[in-house]
Amino acid sequence: MRKVKVRKKILIANEEYAAKNRAFLKERKIPCLNVISSPGSGKTTLLAKTIETLRGKLSIGVIEGDIQTDIDAQRIRKAGAPAHQINTDGACHLSAAQISDAFHKLPIDRLDLLFVENVGNLVCPSTFDLGETDKIAVLSVPEGDDKPAKYPMIFARAAAVLINKIDILAATDFNIKKVKADISKLNKNTKIFLVSAKTGEGMKQWCDWLENMADSKRKKALKKTRPRQ
Amino acid sequence: MHEATIAQSVLEAISAEAKKQKARPIAAKISYGVFNAINTETLKFAFEAISKDTVCENLKLNIEQKPIKAKCKKCRATFEFDLHESKCPKCRHDDFELLPDAPLLLEEITFEDK
Ligand SMILES: Nc1nc2c(ncn2[C@@H]2O[C@H](COP(=O)(O)OP(=O)(O)O)[C@@H](O)[C@H]2O)c(=O)[nH]1
Ligand SMILES: [Mg+2]
Ligand SMILES: [Zn+2]
């Protein structure tokens, strides 16, 4: 028997594409947020509401990831933003190569902010780097307040957590204090927003945060190159 | 859920090395960080299935899961992150930065003697 040390990275292809995407976005100063949650937590509804709230303030584009159909991209277009749908055909997460392709399906140079709605899954998408600026986690009230403890990887890595569907809080035993404590234990710097994409409650704080972020990255650069419409 | 894709990449990496070494691999060790969301049993099962009729058939796949590390923002100590005790073991401070998870790595291969 003979042992050979290899120490070779596997899945290097995704990392290479992610690094390329990151450089592409940085060059254009476009913040890109990778939105991750379980199916049905309200990602698409939240994005549609965000687009409506920020109309005239930020030019937003969305890359949609789903196993099948382009229903979500249609919903985003209806809300007034350009969207490109990726179908993963069974895969549980988006890959960085798919995002590289999708950039060119959007009017990328006109965007102030790019969202990626990942495939509904709290586990796998959190481990595949897409080259995004930040990860955003969405947790909806009916899913239960134990999810940050049970699925720590996404909550530990998210720059912000949106707790959605707070309009139905009263009908559940969801404990906001506990969730906040659990998330802070994983990452003290995570911003936590309590929102309802349905009633619009809390959307202002979230949209202000987005505007601030896009401001610092993009608007200064834009002023130099073209006047805002 | 993406173990099949990973098994395929592992198979390709081992097969490439086997070709270089001109020998039959009988065992291999891979490692990855605990936040990689890979189920060890599922990965082994997937590898066994796809390695049939290849140079890697019957290869024993050993898997090591590496803990995730964190760096204390106060005393700068690096420590193994524990979900249940998320404080710096040195200074008890609770503000820290999670370091990147260990990548998926093909560590070593054991070859049959020629
Ligand atoms: N009550 C309530 N329902 C919501 C809210 N946001 C989304 N929903 C509903 O949750 C369901 C799933 O939403 P969707 O946006 O498709 O979730 P996604 O799978 O994460 O994209 C839909 O029926 C939405 O109408 C909310 O804030 N409150
Ligand atoms: Mg959706
Ligand atoms: Zn410390």
Side-chain angles (χ1 to χ4, degrees):
Chain A
M1 281 203 315
R2 189 160 54 91
K3 269 193 186 163
V4 176
K5 287 254 177 266
V6 188
R7 298 202 56 81
K8 190 182 160 209
K9 271 196 194 175
I10 299 171
L11 290 184
I12 188 85
N14 192 68
E15 275 176 47
E16 282 169 0
Y17 276 108
K20 267 208 304 207
N21 292 351
R22 192 159 277 125
F24 177 94
L25 291 163
K26 196 173 169 197
E27 195 186 313
R28 287 163 181 77
K29 300 193 170 61
I30 306 170
C32 171
L33 302 178
N34 181 3
V35 183
I36 298 173
S37 82
S38 307
S41 69
K43 292 182 295 303
T44 313
T45 314
L46 271 168
L47 290 180
K49 195 85 182 177
T50 303
I51 289 159
E52 286 162 14
T53 310
L54 288 170
R55 180 168 299 141
K57 291 182 177 160
L58 284 184
S59 161
I60 297 177
V62 181
I63 298 172
E64 281 289 342
D66 266 308
I67 290 177
Q68 292 291 343
T69 81
D70 69 341
I71 295 172
D72 281 3
Q74 290 179 33
R75 287 169 64 192
I76 296 297
R77 284 184 207 118
K78 220 170 145 190
H84 175 68
Q85 181 79 49
I86 298 170
N87 282 143
T88 62
D89 190 23
C92 47
H93 60 270
L94 287 170
S95 71
Q98 292 171 316
I99 300 300
S100 304
D101 284 343
F103 285 154
H104 304 288
K105 306 273 167 60
L106 290 171
I108 192 86
D109 288 312
R110 281 198 273 124
L111 300 183
D112 301 317
L113 176 61
L114 175 63
F115 281 108
V116 176
E117 179 181 337
N118 219 311
V119 180
N121 179 331
L122 266 183
V123 185
C124 309
S126 71
T127 75
F128 282 82
D129 185 8
L130 303 180
E132 72 273 340
T133 315
D134 277 310
K135 292 179 173 50
I136 306 292
V138 181
L139 169 66
S140 66
V141 167
E143 290 168 66
D145 55 18
D146 56 357
K147 294 304 172 289
K150 285 185 177 167
Y151 300 90
M153 39 287 255
I154 178 56
F155 295 97
R157 297 269 188 236
V161 178
L162 298 178
I163 298 177
N164 188 33
K165 309 195 187 180
I166 56 165
D167 53 291
I168 60 162
L169 262 177
T172 69
D173 58 0
F174 191 94
N175 184 336
I176 287 183
K177 235 172 139 182
K178 172 187 150 55
V179 164
K180 281 188 168 173
D182 284 355
I183 294 170
S184 300
K185 242 165 95 180
L186 294 166
N187 184 347
K188 219 183 162 189
N189 303 305
T190 308
K191 286 286 297 177
I192 300 173
F193 296 99
L194 302 176
V195 296
S196 167
K198 192 175 172 186
T199 66
E201 195 180 343
M203 289 301 291
K204 187 179 181 306
Q205 285 85 338
W206 156 243
C207 289
D208 285 351
W209 185 77
L210 289 173
E211 249 195 301
N212 269 334
M213 179 176 53
D215 258 359
S216 55
K217 282 226 185 216
R218 173 96 175 158
K219 278 191 181 158
K220 282 176 217 147
L222 261 180
K223 269 188 197 136
K224 288 178 205 147
T225 53
R226 69 170 173 89
R228 287 198 64 79
Q229 285 122 17
Chain B
M1 269 190 268
H2 48 267
E3 284 81 0
T5 324
I6 292 167
Q8 185 63 40
S9 312
V10 171
L11 178 71
E12 280 163 20
I14 301 175
S15 303
E17 196 62 28
K19 209 167 169 186
K20 246 199 279 175
Q21 301 281 341
K22 295 194 176 62
R24 197 175 78 86
I26 50 178
K29 184 173 147 191
I30 63 170
S31 68
Y32 47 78
V34 285
F35 270 23
N36 255 305
I38 304 168
N39 181 283
T40 309
E41 287 315 307
T42 312
L43 179 57
K44 283 186 174 170
F45 181 78
F47 185 83
E48 205 183 300
I50 60 162
S51 62
K52 285 236 159 60
D53 302 319
T54 75
V55 66
C56 294
E57 183 159 2
N58 296 326
L59 175 140
K60 184 167 168 26
L61 195 61
N62 298 307
I63 297 174
E64 183 195 348
Q65 282 193 301
K66 298 200 168 157
I68 187 152
K69 297 229 168 90
K71 190 172 186 175
C72 176
K73 286 196 178 166
K74 197 173 170 199
C75 77
R76 312 303 294 165
T78 302
F79 57 95
E80 275 184 19
F81 177 63
D82 174 357
L83 281 177
H84 307 287
E85 178 56 52
S86 48
K87 281 195 171 72
C88 171
K90 249 190 168 163
C91 74
R92 313 298 299 161
H93 196 61
D94 65 354
D95 196 4
F96 49 82
E97 174 195 357
L98 277 190
L99 298 177
D101 209 16
L104 183 58
L105 216 59
L106 172 58
E107 300 263 4
E108 59 176 35
I109 306 175
T110 310
F111 289 100
E112 200 173 55
D113 288 323
K114 274 183 263 186

